[in-house]
Amino acid sequence: MITPATLQRTVSAALEEDAPWGDITSIALLPTDAHATADLIAREAGVFSGGEVFASAFTITDPTVQVDLHVADGDRFEAGDALASVSGPARGMLTAERVALNFTQRMSGIATLTAAYTDAVAGTGVRIADTRKTTPGLREFERHAVVSGGGSNHRRSLSDAVMAKDNHLEVLRQGGQDLASALREGLARLPHTTHVVVEVDRLDQIPAVLDGGADTVLLDNFSLEDLRTAVGVLAGRATAEASGGVNLDTVRAIAETGVQVISVGALTHSARALDLGLDLRIV
């Protein structure tokens, strides 16, 4: 969920970055009383996300600009569809145009890629989840876009869940600490509601992780055969999450191994911005 404070802060920062001392082109060329209307047009098919962000770019710039959304976040559309209409003072519209498009193109691209993954595992009951591989400063927008595409959010930040990864385990190993004991001792210092995820890259690590109290075992770069074996070893005592080596060609086979979650960093770090355009008419 994008909070009002995050929306205001992030969009305002982007507008300030793009026009730190005003839009001097619009100020120089456009009369103060010039008005315009424009349509947000899809140049290709996809899944929409970022409607509220798109509208905010215009209304923060000029509160008198009117934005009408014709689709909701999560809606699918075809090339040529009109997704929104904008009308109001031309100066404000042209100042906000690029920022509004940048956000919506980025978010719709993430939603569209996420939908491709969720479509690929349809019927398996597997969740497609994002990761923390997000654009700095845009995490909430990008997480929202993943949900628009039918995906699920992983932990929001380092503060939200214990997630012991390979480097954490290596530090423990170098210190001669037993993994199960370290987990139990660490969890005793945290609230009982804290969710615990532990990443493993070998089958023989799983018993100690379970003994330590993990809620989710992250099976990193496991073969399909080892994923099936790991699901059997876990036997419902912890959630089985697969990661690594996931793409649209492999995700269905991974889902069919019996894991409950597949985390995909590519949803946010490799999504292509969707081709959307703002067709403007001076009136």
Short mmCIF file of all heavy atoms in Angstrom, two decimals, residues 199-239:
data_model
loop_
_atom_site.label_atom_id
_atom_site.label_comp_id
_atom_site.label_asym_id
_atom_site.label_seq_id
_atom_site.Cartn_x
_atom_site.Cartn_y
_atom_site.Cartn_z
N GLU A 199 17.85 -18.93 4.42
CA GLU A 199 18.24 -19.38 3.08
C GLU A 199 19.23 -20.53 3.19
O GLU A 199 20.18 -20.48 3.96
CB GLU A 199 18.88 -18.21 2.33
CG GLU A 199 19.38 -18.56 0.94
CD GLU A 199 20.13 -17.40 0.31
OE1 GLU A 199 19.47 -16.58 -0.34
OE2 GLU A 199 21.36 -17.31 0.49
N VAL A 200 18.99 -21.55 2.39
CA VAL A 200 19.92 -22.68 2.32
C VAL A 200 20.23 -22.96 0.85
O VAL A 200 19.43 -22.66 -0.04
CB VAL A 200 19.33 -23.95 2.98
CG1 VAL A 200 19.05 -23.72 4.46
CG2 VAL A 200 18.06 -24.42 2.27
N ASP A 201 21.40 -23.53 0.62
CA ASP A 201 21.74 -23.91 -0.76
C ASP A 201 22.08 -25.38 -0.89
O ASP A 201 22.53 -25.83 -1.93
CB ASP A 201 22.86 -23.04 -1.31
CG ASP A 201 24.09 -23.01 -0.41
OD1 ASP A 201 24.28 -23.96 0.38
OD2 ASP A 201 24.86 -22.05 -0.51
N ARG A 202 21.85 -26.14 0.22
CA ARG A 202 22.07 -27.59 0.19
C ARG A 202 21.00 -28.28 1.01
O ARG A 202 20.52 -27.74 2.02
CB ARG A 202 23.45 -27.95 0.78
CG ARG A 202 24.64 -27.31 0.10
CD ARG A 202 25.95 -27.93 0.60
NE ARG A 202 25.95 -28.13 2.05
CZ ARG A 202 26.36 -27.21 2.93
NH1 ARG A 202 26.76 -26.01 2.51
NH2 ARG A 202 26.36 -27.47 4.23
N LEU A 203 20.67 -29.47 0.61
CA LEU A 203 19.65 -30.24 1.33
C LEU A 203 20.06 -30.53 2.77
O LEU A 203 19.22 -30.53 3.68
CB LEU A 203 19.38 -31.56 0.60
CG LEU A 203 18.58 -31.46 -0.71
CD1 LEU A 203 18.67 -32.77 -1.48
CD2 LEU A 203 17.12 -31.10 -0.41
N ASP A 204 21.37 -30.77 3.00
CA ASP A 204 21.79 -31.17 4.34
C ASP A 204 21.72 -30.03 5.36
O ASP A 204 21.91 -30.26 6.55
CB ASP A 204 23.19 -31.77 4.31
CG ASP A 204 24.27 -30.80 3.81
OD1 ASP A 204 23.97 -29.60 3.66
OD2 ASP A 204 25.40 -31.26 3.57
N GLN A 205 21.44 -28.81 4.91
CA GLN A 205 21.28 -27.69 5.84
C GLN A 205 19.88 -27.62 6.43
O GLN A 205 19.66 -26.95 7.45
CB GLN A 205 21.58 -26.37 5.12
CG GLN A 205 23.02 -26.20 4.65
CD GLN A 205 23.18 -24.94 3.81
OE1 GLN A 205 22.53 -24.79 2.79
NE2 GLN A 205 24.05 -24.04 4.25
N ILE A 206 18.94 -28.28 5.82
CA ILE A 206 17.53 -28.11 6.21
C ILE A 206 17.23 -28.59 7.62
O ILE A 206 16.54 -27.88 8.37
CB ILE A 206 16.60 -28.79 5.17
CG1 ILE A 206 16.73 -28.07 3.82
CG2 ILE A 206 15.16 -28.78 5.66
CD1 ILE A 206 15.93 -28.72 2.71
N PRO A 207 17.70 -29.75 8.07
CA PRO A 207 17.35 -30.18 9.44
C PRO A 207 17.73 -29.18 10.51
O PRO A 207 16.95 -28.92 11.44
CB PRO A 207 18.12 -31.50 9.58
CG PRO A 207 18.21 -32.03 8.19
CD PRO A 207 18.41 -30.81 7.34
N ALA A 208 18.92 -28.58 10.42
CA ALA A 208 19.35 -27.60 11.42
C ALA A 208 18.48 -26.36 11.38
O ALA A 208 18.17 -25.77 12.42
CB ALA A 208 20.81 -27.24 11.21
N VAL A 209 18.09 -25.96 10.19
CA VAL A 209 17.23 -24.78 10.04
C VAL A 209 15.87 -25.02 10.67
O VAL A 209 15.33 -24.16 11.38
CB VAL A 209 17.08 -24.43 8.54
CG1 VAL A 209 16.01 -23.38 8.33
CG2 VAL A 209 18.41 -23.95 7.98
N LEU A 210 15.32 -26.20 10.46
CA LEU A 210 14.05 -26.54 11.09
C LEU A 210 14.20 -26.61 12.61
O LEU A 210 13.34 -26.13 13.35
CB LEU A 210 13.53 -27.88 10.56
CG LEU A 210 13.01 -27.89 9.12
CD1 LEU A 210 12.67 -29.31 8.68
CD2 LEU A 210 11.78 -27.00 8.98
N ASP A 211 15.28 -27.19 13.07
CA ASP A 211 15.53 -27.31 14.51
C ASP A 211 15.68 -25.93 15.14
O ASP A 211 15.32 -25.73 16.31
CB ASP A 211 16.80 -28.13 14.74
CG ASP A 211 17.00 -28.50 16.20
OD1 ASP A 211 15.99 -28.67 16.91
OD2 ASP A 211 18.16 -28.58 16.63
N GLY A 212 16.18 -24.98 14.37
CA GLY A 212 16.35 -23.63 14.89
C GLY A 212 15.09 -22.80 14.93
O GLY A 212 15.07 -21.72 15.51
N GLY A 213 14.02 -23.28 14.29
CA GLY A 213 12.73 -22.60 14.37
C GLY A 213 12.36 -21.75 13.18
O GLY A 213 11.54 -20.83 13.30
N ALA A 214 12.91 -22.03 12.02
CA ALA A 214 12.57 -21.25 10.83
C ALA A 214 11.11 -21.44 10.44
O ALA A 214 10.58 -22.55 10.50
CB ALA A 214 13.48 -21.64 9.67
N ASP A 215 10.48 -20.33 10.05
CA ASP A 215 9.10 -20.40 9.54
C ASP A 215 9.07 -20.66 8.04
O ASP A 215 8.14 -21.27 7.53
CB ASP A 215 8.38 -19.08 9.82
CG ASP A 215 8.32 -18.77 11.30
OD1 ASP A 215 7.70 -19.55 12.04
OD2 ASP A 215 8.91 -17.75 11.72
N THR A 216 10.08 -20.13 7.34
CA THR A 216 10.21 -20.31 5.90
C THR A 216 11.64 -20.72 5.59
O THR A 216 12.58 -20.15 6.14
CB THR A 216 9.88 -19.01 5.14
OG1 THR A 216 8.51 -18.66 5.37
CG2 THR A 216 10.11 -19.17 3.64
N VAL A 217 11.79 -21.70 4.72
CA VAL A 217 13.12 -22.10 4.26
C VAL A 217 13.23 -21.70 2.81
O VAL A 217 12.45 -22.13 1.96
CB VAL A 217 13.34 -23.62 4.43
CG1 VAL A 217 14.72 -24.01 3.89
CG2 VAL A 217 13.21 -24.01 5.89
N LEU A 218 14.21 -20.83 2.54
CA LEU A 218 14.43 -20.32 1.19
C LEU A 218 15.43 -21.22 0.49
O LEU A 218 16.61 -21.28 0.85
CB LEU A 218 14.96 -18.88 1.27
CG LEU A 218 15.28 -18.17 -0.03
CD1 LEU A 218 14.06 -18.09 -0.92
CD2 LEU A 218 15.81 -16.78 0.25
N LEU A 219 14.96 -21.93 -0.51
CA LEU A 219 15.75 -22.92 -1.23
C LEU A 219 16.39 -22.24 -2.43
O LEU A 219 15.74 -22.00 -3.45
CB LEU A 219 14.86 -24.08 -1.66
CG LEU A 219 14.02 -24.70 -0.51
CD1 LEU A 219 12.88 -25.53 -1.06
CD2 LEU A 219 14.91 -25.52 0.42
N ASP A 220 17.65 -21.89 -2.29
CA ASP A 220 18.31 -21.04 -3.27
C ASP A 220 19.05 -21.86 -4.33
O ASP A 220 19.95 -22.64 -4.01
CB ASP A 220 19.29 -20.11 -2.57
CG ASP A 220 19.89 -19.07 -3.49
OD1 ASP A 220 19.13 -18.48 -4.28
OD2 ASP A 220 21.11 -18.85 -3.43
N ASN A 221 18.67 -21.65 -5.58
CA ASN A 221 19.33 -22.30 -6.72
C ASN A 221 19.35 -23.82 -6.62
O ASN A 221 20.33 -24.47 -6.99
CB ASN A 221 20.76 -21.76 -6.89
CG ASN A 221 20.79 -20.38 -7.52
OD1 ASN A 221 20.33 -20.18 -8.63
ND2 ASN A 221 21.31 -19.41 -6.78
N PHE A 222 18.27 -24.39 -6.13
CA PHE A 222 18.12 -25.84 -6.07
C PHE A 222 17.70 -26.38 -7.44
O PHE A 222 16.96 -25.71 -8.17
CB PHE A 222 17.06 -26.23 -5.05
CG PHE A 222 17.55 -26.35 -3.63
CD1 PHE A 222 18.36 -25.38 -3.06
CD2 PHE A 222 17.19 -27.45 -2.85
CE1 PHE A 222 18.81 -25.49 -1.76
CE2 PHE A 222 17.63 -27.57 -1.55
CZ PHE A 222 18.44 -26.60 -0.99
N SER A 223 18.15 -27.58 -7.76
CA SER A 223 17.64 -28.25 -8.96
C SER A 223 16.19 -28.65 -8.72
O SER A 223 15.71 -28.67 -7.57
CB SER A 223 18.48 -29.49 -9.26
OG SER A 223 18.28 -30.47 -8.25
N LEU A 224 15.48 -28.97 -9.78
CA LEU A 224 14.09 -29.40 -9.63
C LEU A 224 13.99 -30.66 -8.76
O LEU A 224 13.10 -30.76 -7.90
CB LEU A 224 13.46 -29.67 -11.01
CG LEU A 224 13.31 -28.44 -11.92
CD1 LEU A 224 12.74 -28.87 -13.27
CD2 LEU A 224 12.42 -27.38 -11.29
N GLU A 225 14.90 -31.57 -8.95
CA GLU A 225 14.90 -32.80 -8.15
C GLU A 225 15.12 -32.48 -6.68
O GLU A 225 14.42 -33.01 -5.80
CB GLU A 225 15.98 -33.75 -8.65
CG GLU A 225 16.04 -35.07 -7.88
CD GLU A 225 17.12 -35.99 -8.39
OE1 GLU A 225 17.76 -35.67 -9.41
OE2 GLU A 225 17.33 -37.05 -7.76
N ASP A 226 16.08 -31.59 -6.38
CA ASP A 226 16.35 -31.24 -4.99
C ASP A 226 15.21 -30.43 -4.39
O ASP A 226 14.95 -30.52 -3.18
CB ASP A 226 17.66 -30.47 -4.89
CG ASP A 226 18.88 -31.38 -4.97
OD1 ASP A 226 18.70 -32.62 -4.97
OD2 ASP A 226 20.01 -30.86 -5.07
N LEU A 227 14.53 -29.64 -5.19
CA LEU A 227 13.36 -28.92 -4.68
C LEU A 227 12.28 -29.90 -4.24
O LEU A 227 11.68 -29.75 -3.17
CB LEU A 227 12.80 -27.97 -5.75
CG LEU A 227 13.55 -26.66 -5.98
CD1 LEU A 227 12.95 -25.91 -7.16
CD2 LEU A 227 13.53 -25.78 -4.73
N ARG A 228 12.04 -30.91 -5.05
CA ARG A 228 11.03 -31.91 -4.68
C ARG A 228 11.44 -32.64 -3.40
O ARG A 228 10.61 -32.89 -2.52
CB ARG A 228 10.83 -32.89 -5.84
CG ARG A 228 10.00 -32.33 -6.99
CD ARG A 228 9.68 -33.39 -8.02
NE ARG A 228 10.85 -33.71 -8.83
CZ ARG A 228 11.15 -33.12 -9.98
NH1 ARG A 228 10.36 -32.17 -10.46
NH2 ARG A 228 12.22 -33.47 -10.66
N THR A 229 12.72 -32.96 -3.29
CA THR A 229 13.20 -33.63 -2.08
C THR A 229 13.06 -32.71 -0.87
O THR A 229 12.62 -33.15 0.21
CB THR A 229 14.68 -34.03 -2.25
OG1 THR A 229 14.80 -34.92 -3.36
CG2 THR A 229 15.21 -34.71 -0.99
N ALA A 230 13.41 -31.43 -1.03
CA ALA A 230 13.33 -30.47 0.07
C ALA A 230 11.89 -30.31 0.55
O ALA A 230 11.63 -30.25 1.77
CB ALA A 230 13.88 -29.12 -0.37
N VAL A 231 10.95 -30.25 -0.37
CA VAL A 231 9.54 -30.15 0.01
C VAL A 231 9.14 -31.35 0.86
O VAL A 231 8.41 -31.22 1.85
CB VAL A 231 8.65 -30.02 -1.25
CG1 VAL A 231 7.18 -30.18 -0.89
CG2 VAL A 231 8.89 -28.68 -1.93
N GLY A 232 9.62 -32.53 0.49
CA GLY A 232 9.33 -33.73 1.27
C GLY A 232 9.95 -33.68 2.66
O GLY A 232 9.33 -34.09 3.65
N VAL A 233 11.18 -33.17 2.75
CA VAL A 233 11.85 -33.07 4.05
C VAL A 233 11.14 -32.06 4.95
O VAL A 233 10.94 -32.30 6.14
CB VAL A 233 13.33 -32.66 3.86
CG1 VAL A 233 13.98 -32.37 5.21
CG2 VAL A 233 14.10 -33.75 3.12
N LEU A 234 10.73 -30.95 4.37
CA LEU A 234 10.03 -29.93 5.15
C LEU A 234 8.68 -30.44 5.64
O LEU A 234 8.27 -30.13 6.76
CB LEU A 234 9.85 -28.66 4.32
CG LEU A 234 11.14 -27.89 4.01
CD1 LEU A 234 10.86 -26.77 3.01
CD2 LEU A 234 11.74 -27.32 5.27
N ALA A 235 8.00 -31.17 4.80
CA ALA A 235 6.74 -31.84 5.18
C ALA A 235 5.77 -30.90 5.89
O ALA A 235 5.12 -31.29 6.87
CB ALA A 235 7.06 -33.05 6.06
N GLY A 236 5.68 -29.67 5.42
CA GLY A 236 4.73 -28.73 5.98
C GLY A 236 5.17 -28.07 7.27
O GLY A 236 4.43 -27.23 7.82
N ARG A 237 6.36 -28.40 7.78
CA ARG A 237 6.81 -27.79 9.04
C ARG A 237 7.29 -26.36 8.83
O ARG A 237 7.42 -25.60 9.79
CB ARG A 237 7.94 -28.64 9.64
CG ARG A 237 7.45 -29.96 10.23
CD ARG A 237 8.62 -30.77 10.78
NE ARG A 237 9.44 -31.32 9.70
CZ ARG A 237 10.59 -31.95 9.89
NH1 ARG A 237 11.05 -32.09 11.13
NH2 ARG A 237 11.26 -32.44 8.87
N ALA A 238 7.56 -25.99 7.61
CA ALA A 238 7.94 -24.62 7.26
C ALA A 238 7.54 -24.39 5.82
O ALA A 238 7.41 -25.34 5.03
CB ALA A 238 9.44 -24.40 7.45
N THR A 239 7.32 -23.15 5.48
CA THR A 239 6.99 -22.81 4.10
C THR A 239 8.22 -23.02 3.21
O THR A 239 9.32 -22.64 3.57
CB THR A 239 6.55 -21.33 4.01
OG1 THR A 239 5.36 -21.16 4.78
CG2 THR A 239 6.28 -20.92 2.57
#
